[in-house]
CSV table of all heavy atoms in Angstrom, one decimal:
chain,number,residue,atom,x,y,z
E,294,GLY,N,8.7,2.6,11.7
E,294,GLY,CA,9.6,3.7,11.9
E,294,GLY,C,10.5,3.5,13.1
E,294,GLY,O,10.3,2.7,14.0
E,295,TRP,N,11.7,4.2,13.0
E,295,TRP,CA,12.7,4.2,14.0
E,295,TRP,C,13.2,5.6,14.3
E,295,TRP,O,13.3,6.4,13.4
E,295,TRP,CB,13.9,3.3,13.6
E,295,TRP,CG,13.6,1.9,13.4
E,295,TRP,CD1,13.7,0.9,14.4
E,295,TRP,CD2,13.2,1.3,12.2
E,295,TRP,NE1,13.4,-0.3,13.8
E,295,TRP,CE2,13.1,-0.1,12.5
E,295,TRP,CE3,12.9,1.7,10.9
E,295,TRP,CZ2,12.7,-1.0,11.5
E,295,TRP,CZ3,12.5,0.8,9.9
E,295,TRP,CH2,12.4,-0.6,10.2
E,296,ALA,N,13.5,5.9,15.6
E,296,ALA,CA,14.0,7.2,15.9
E,296,ALA,C,15.5,7.1,15.9
E,296,ALA,O,16.2,6.1,16.2
E,296,ALA,CB,13.5,7.5,17.3
E,297,TRP,N,16.1,8.3,15.5
E,297,TRP,CA,17.6,8.4,15.6
E,297,TRP,C,17.8,8.9,17.1
E,297,TRP,O,17.9,10.1,17.4
E,297,TRP,CB,18.1,9.5,14.7
E,297,TRP,CG,18.4,9.0,13.3
E,297,TRP,CD1,17.8,9.3,12.1
E,297,TRP,CD2,19.5,8.1,12.9
E,297,TRP,NE1,18.4,8.6,11.1
E,297,TRP,CE2,19.5,7.9,11.5
E,297,TRP,CE3,20.5,7.4,13.7
E,297,TRP,CZ2,20.4,7.1,10.9
E,297,TRP,CZ3,21.4,6.7,13.0
E,297,TRP,CH2,21.4,6.5,11.6
E,298,ASP,N,17.9,7.9,18.0
E,298,ASP,CA,18.2,8.3,19.4
E,298,ASP,C,19.4,7.4,19.9
E,298,ASP,O,20.1,6.8,19.1
E,298,ASP,CB,16.9,8.1,20.3
E,298,ASP,CG,16.4,6.7,20.2
E,298,ASP,OD1,17.1,5.7,19.8
E,298,ASP,OD2,15.2,6.5,20.5
E,299,GLU,N,19.6,7.5,21.2
E,299,GLU,CA,20.7,6.8,21.8
E,299,GLU,C,20.7,5.2,21.6
E,299,GLU,O,21.7,4.6,21.6
E,299,GLU,CB,20.8,7.1,23.3
E,299,GLU,CG,19.7,6.5,24.2
E,299,GLU,CD,18.5,7.4,24.1
E,299,GLU,OE1,18.5,8.4,23.5
E,299,GLU,OE2,17.5,7.0,24.8
E,300,LYS,N,19.5,4.7,21.3
E,300,LYS,CA,19.4,3.3,21.1
E,300,LYS,C,19.8,2.9,19.6
E,300,LYS,O,20.1,1.7,19.4
E,300,LYS,CB,17.9,2.8,21.3
E,300,LYS,CG,17.5,2.9,22.7
E,300,LYS,CD,16.0,2.4,22.9
E,300,LYS,CE,15.6,2.6,24.3
E,300,LYS,NZ,14.1,2.2,24.5
E,301,MET,N,19.8,3.9,18.8
E,301,MET,CA,20.2,3.6,17.4
E,301,MET,C,21.7,3.7,17.3
E,301,MET,O,22.3,4.6,16.7
E,301,MET,CB,19.5,4.6,16.4
E,301,MET,CG,19.8,4.3,14.9
E,301,MET,SD,19.2,2.6,14.4
E,301,MET,CE,17.4,2.9,14.5
E,302,THR,N,22.4,2.6,17.8
E,302,THR,CA,23.8,2.5,17.8
E,302,THR,C,24.2,2.1,16.4
E,302,THR,O,23.4,1.7,15.6
E,302,THR,CB,24.3,1.5,18.8
E,302,THR,OG1,23.8,0.2,18.5
E,302,THR,CG2,23.9,1.9,20.2
E,303,GLU,N,25.5,2.1,16.1
E,303,GLU,CA,26.0,1.6,14.8
E,303,GLU,C,25.7,0.2,14.7
E,303,GLU,O,25.3,-0.3,13.6
E,303,GLU,CB,27.5,1.9,14.7
E,303,GLU,CG,28.1,1.4,13.4
E,303,GLU,CD,29.5,1.8,13.1
E,303,GLU,OE1,30.1,2.5,14.0
E,303,GLU,OE2,30.1,1.4,12.1
E,304,ARG,N,25.8,-0.6,15.7
E,304,ARG,CA,25.5,-2.1,15.6
E,304,ARG,C,24.1,-2.3,15.3
E,304,ARG,O,23.7,-3.1,14.4
E,304,ARG,CB,25.9,-2.8,16.9
E,304,ARG,CG,25.8,-4.3,16.8
E,304,ARG,CD,25.6,-4.9,18.2
E,304,ARG,NE,24.3,-4.6,18.8
E,304,ARG,CZ,23.2,-5.2,18.5
E,304,ARG,NH1,23.1,-6.2,17.6
E,304,ARG,NH2,22.0,-4.9,19.1
E,305,ALA,N,23.2,-1.5,16.0
E,305,ALA,CA,21.7,-1.7,15.7
E,305,ALA,C,21.4,-1.3,14.3
E,305,ALA,O,20.6,-2.0,13.6
E,305,ALA,CB,20.9,-0.9,16.7
E,306,PHE,N,22.0,-0.2,13.9
E,306,PHE,CA,21.7,0.3,12.5
E,306,PHE,C,22.1,-0.6,11.5
E,306,PHE,O,21.4,-1.0,10.5
E,306,PHE,CB,22.3,1.7,12.4
E,306,PHE,CG,22.1,2.3,11.0
E,306,PHE,CD1,20.9,3.0,10.7
E,306,PHE,CD2,23.0,2.2,10.0
E,306,PHE,CE1,20.7,3.6,9.5
E,306,PHE,CE2,22.8,2.8,8.8
E,306,PHE,CZ,21.7,3.5,8.5
E,307,THR,N,23.4,-1.0,11.5
E,307,THR,CA,23.9,-1.9,10.5
E,307,THR,C,23.2,-3.3,10.5
E,307,THR,O,23.1,-3.9,9.5
E,307,THR,CB,25.4,-2.1,10.6
E,307,THR,OG1,25.8,-2.5,11.9
E,307,THR,CG2,26.1,-0.7,10.4
E,308,THR,N,22.8,-3.8,11.7
E,308,THR,CA,22.1,-5.0,11.8
E,308,THR,C,20.8,-4.9,11.0
E,308,THR,O,20.4,-5.8,10.3
E,308,THR,CB,21.8,-5.4,13.2
E,308,THR,OG1,23.1,-5.6,13.9
E,308,THR,CG2,21.0,-6.7,13.3
E,309,LEU,N,20.1,-3.8,11.2
E,309,LEU,CA,18.8,-3.5,10.5
E,309,LEU,C,19.0,-3.6,9.0
E,309,LEU,O,18.3,-4.3,8.3
E,309,LEU,CB,18.3,-2.2,11.0
E,309,LEU,CG,16.9,-1.8,10.5
E,309,LEU,CD1,15.8,-2.7,11.1
E,309,LEU,CD2,16.6,-0.3,10.8
E,310,LEU,N,20.0,-2.9,8.5
E,310,LEU,CA,20.2,-2.8,7.1
E,310,LEU,C,20.7,-4.2,6.5
E,310,LEU,O,20.3,-4.6,5.5
E,310,LEU,CB,21.2,-1.8,6.7
E,310,LEU,CG,20.7,-0.4,6.4
E,310,LEU,CD1,19.9,0.2,7.6
E,310,LEU,CD2,21.7,0.6,5.9
E,311,ARG,N,21.5,-4.9,7.3
E,311,ARG,CA,22.0,-6.2,6.9
E,311,ARG,C,20.8,-7.2,6.9
E,311,ARG,O,20.7,-8.0,5.9
E,311,ARG,CB,23.1,-6.7,7.8
E,311,ARG,CG,23.7,-8.0,7.4
E,311,ARG,CD,24.7,-8.5,8.4
E,311,ARG,NE,25.8,-7.6,8.5
E,311,ARG,CZ,26.0,-6.9,9.6
E,311,ARG,NH1,25.2,-6.9,10.6
E,311,ARG,NH2,27.1,-6.1,9.7
E,312,ASN,N,19.9,-7.1,7.8
E,312,ASN,CA,18.7,-8.0,7.9
E,312,ASN,C,17.9,-7.8,6.6
E,312,ASN,O,17.4,-8.7,6.0
E,312,ASN,CB,17.9,-7.7,9.1
E,312,ASN,CG,18.5,-8.3,10.4
E,312,ASN,OD1,19.5,-9.0,10.3
E,312,ASN,ND2,18.0,-7.9,11.5
E,313,PHE,N,17.7,-6.5,6.3
E,313,PHE,CA,16.9,-6.2,5.1
E,313,PHE,C,17.5,-6.8,3.9
E,313,PHE,O,16.8,-7.4,3.0
E,313,PHE,CB,16.8,-4.7,4.9
E,313,PHE,CG,15.8,-4.2,3.9
E,313,PHE,CD1,14.4,-4.0,4.2
E,313,PHE,CD2,16.2,-4.0,2.6
E,313,PHE,CE1,13.6,-3.6,3.2
E,313,PHE,CE2,15.4,-3.5,1.6
E,313,PHE,CZ,14.0,-3.3,1.9
E,314,GLY,N,18.8,-6.7,3.7
E,314,GLY,CA,19.5,-7.2,2.6
E,314,GLY,C,19.5,-8.8,2.6
E,314,GLY,O,19.2,-9.4,1.5
E,315,THR,N,19.7,-9.3,3.7
E,315,THR,CA,19.8,-10.8,3.8
E,315,THR,C,18.4,-11.4,3.5
E,315,THR,O,18.3,-12.5,2.8
E,315,THR,CB,20.3,-11.2,5.2
E,315,THR,OG1,21.6,-10.7,5.4
E,315,THR,CG2,20.3,-12.7,5.3
E,316,TRP,N,17.4,-10.8,4.0
E,316,TRP,CA,16.0,-11.3,3.7
E,316,TRP,C,15.8,-11.3,2.2
E,316,TRP,O,15.3,-12.3,1.6
E,316,TRP,CB,15.0,-10.4,4.4
E,316,TRP,CG,13.6,-11.0,4.2
E,316,TRP,CD1,12.9,-11.8,5.0
E,316,TRP,CD2,12.7,-10.7,3.1
E,316,TRP,NE1,11.7,-12.1,4.5
E,316,TRP,CE2,11.5,-11.4,3.3
E,316,TRP,CE3,12.8,-9.9,1.9
E,316,TRP,CZ2,10.4,-11.4,2.5
E,316,TRP,CZ3,11.7,-9.9,1.1
E,316,TRP,CH2,10.5,-10.6,1.3
E,317,HIS,N,16.2,-10.3,1.5
E,317,HIS,CA,16.0,-10.3,0.1
E,317,HIS,C,16.9,-11.3,-0.7
E,317,HIS,O,16.5,-11.8,-1.7
E,317,HIS,CB,16.2,-8.8,-0.5
E,317,HIS,CG,15.0,-7.9,-0.3
E,317,HIS,ND1,14.9,-7.2,0.9
E,317,HIS,CD2,14.0,-7.7,-1.0
E,317,HIS,CE1,13.7,-6.5,0.8
E,317,HIS,NE2,13.2,-6.8,-0.3
E,318,GLU,N,18.1,-11.5,-0.1
E,318,GLU,CA,18.9,-12.6,-0.7
E,318,GLU,C,18.2,-13.9,-0.7
E,318,GLU,O,18.2,-14.7,-1.6
E,318,GLU,CB,20.2,-12.7,0.1
E,318,GLU,CG,21.2,-11.6,-0.1
E,318,GLU,CD,22.4,-11.9,0.7
E,318,GLU,OE1,22.9,-13.1,0.7
E,318,GLU,OE2,22.9,-11.0,1.4
E,319,HIS,N,17.5,-14.2,0.4
E,319,HIS,CA,16.8,-15.5,0.6
E,319,HIS,C,15.4,-15.6,0.1
E,319,HIS,O,14.9,-16.8,0.0
E,319,HIS,CB,16.8,-15.8,2.1
E,319,HIS,CG,18.2,-16.0,2.7
E,319,HIS,ND1,18.5,-15.8,4.1
E,319,HIS,CD2,19.4,-16.2,2.1
E,319,HIS,CE1,19.7,-16.0,4.3
E,319,HIS,NE2,20.3,-16.2,3.1
E,320,ASN,N,14.8,-14.5,-0.3
E,320,ASN,CA,13.4,-14.6,-0.6
E,320,ASN,C,13.1,-13.8,-2.0
E,320,ASN,O,12.0,-13.3,-2.1
E,320,ASN,CB,12.5,-13.9,0.5
E,320,ASN,CG,12.6,-14.7,1.8
E,320,ASN,OD1,12.0,-15.7,1.9
E,320,ASN,ND2,13.5,-14.2,2.7
E,321,SER,N,14.0,-13.9,-2.9
E,321,SER,CA,13.8,-13.2,-4.1
E,321,SER,C,14.0,-14.1,-5.4
E,321,SER,O,14.2,-13.6,-6.5
E,321,SER,CB,14.8,-12.0,-4.2
E,321,SER,OG,14.6,-11.0,-3.2
E,322,ALA,N,13.7,-15.4,-5.2
E,322,ALA,CA,13.7,-16.3,-6.3
E,322,ALA,C,12.4,-16.1,-7.1
E,322,ALA,O,11.4,-15.8,-6.4
E,322,ALA,CB,13.9,-17.7,-5.9
E,323,PRO,N,12.4,-16.3,-8.4
E,323,PRO,CA,11.1,-16.3,-9.1
E,323,PRO,C,10.1,-17.3,-8.5
E,323,PRO,O,10.5,-18.5,-8.2
E,323,PRO,CB,11.5,-16.7,-10.5
E,323,PRO,CG,12.9,-16.4,-10.6
E,323,PRO,CD,13.5,-16.6,-9.3
E,324,GLY,N,8.9,-16.9,-8.2
E,324,GLY,CA,7.9,-17.8,-7.6
E,324,GLY,C,8.0,-17.9,-6.1
E,324,GLY,O,7.2,-18.7,-5.6
E,325,SER,N,8.9,-17.2,-5.5
E,325,SER,CA,8.9,-17.2,-4.0
E,325,SER,C,7.6,-16.9,-3.4
E,325,SER,O,6.9,-16.0,-3.9
E,325,SER,CB,10.0,-16.2,-3.5
E,325,SER,OG,9.9,-16.0,-2.1
E,326,PRO,N,7.2,-17.5,-2.3
E,326,PRO,CA,6.0,-17.1,-1.6
E,326,PRO,C,6.0,-15.6,-1.2
E,326,PRO,O,4.9,-15.0,-1.1
E,326,PRO,CB,6.0,-17.9,-0.3
E,326,PRO,CG,6.8,-19.1,-0.6
E,326,PRO,CD,7.9,-18.6,-1.6
E,327,PHE,N,7.1,-15.0,-1.1
E,327,PHE,CA,7.3,-13.6,-0.8
E,327,PHE,C,7.4,-12.7,-2.0
E,327,PHE,O,7.6,-11.5,-1.9
E,327,PHE,CB,8.5,-13.4,0.1
E,327,PHE,CG,8.3,-13.8,1.5
E,327,PHE,CD1,8.7,-15.1,1.9
E,327,PHE,CD2,7.6,-13.1,2.5
E,327,PHE,CE1,8.6,-15.6,3.2
E,327,PHE,CE2,7.5,-13.5,3.8
E,327,PHE,CZ,7.9,-14.8,4.2
E,328,ALA,N,7.2,-13.2,-3.2
E,328,ALA,CA,7.4,-12.4,-4.4
E,328,ALA,C,6.4,-11.3,-4.5
E,328,ALA,O,6.7,-10.3,-5.1
E,328,ALA,CB,7.4,-13.3,-5.7
E,329,GLY,N,5.3,-11.4,-3.9
E,329,GLY,CA,4.2,-10.4,-3.9
E,329,GLY,C,4.4,-9.3,-2.9
E,329,GLY,O,3.7,-8.3,-2.8
Side-chain angles (χ1 to χ4, degrees):
W295 295 270
W297 274 113
D298 57 20
E299 67 279 359
K300 296 180 181 179
M301 186 59 70
T302 63
E303 181 173 359
R304 188 201 68 81
F306 179 83
T307 56
T308 298
L309 185 69
L310 269 63
R311 185 183 297 108
N312 287 348
F313 187 89
T315 301
W316 184 93
H317 280 88
E318 289 180 43
H319 296 160
N320 296 281
S321 296
S325 164
F327 286 96

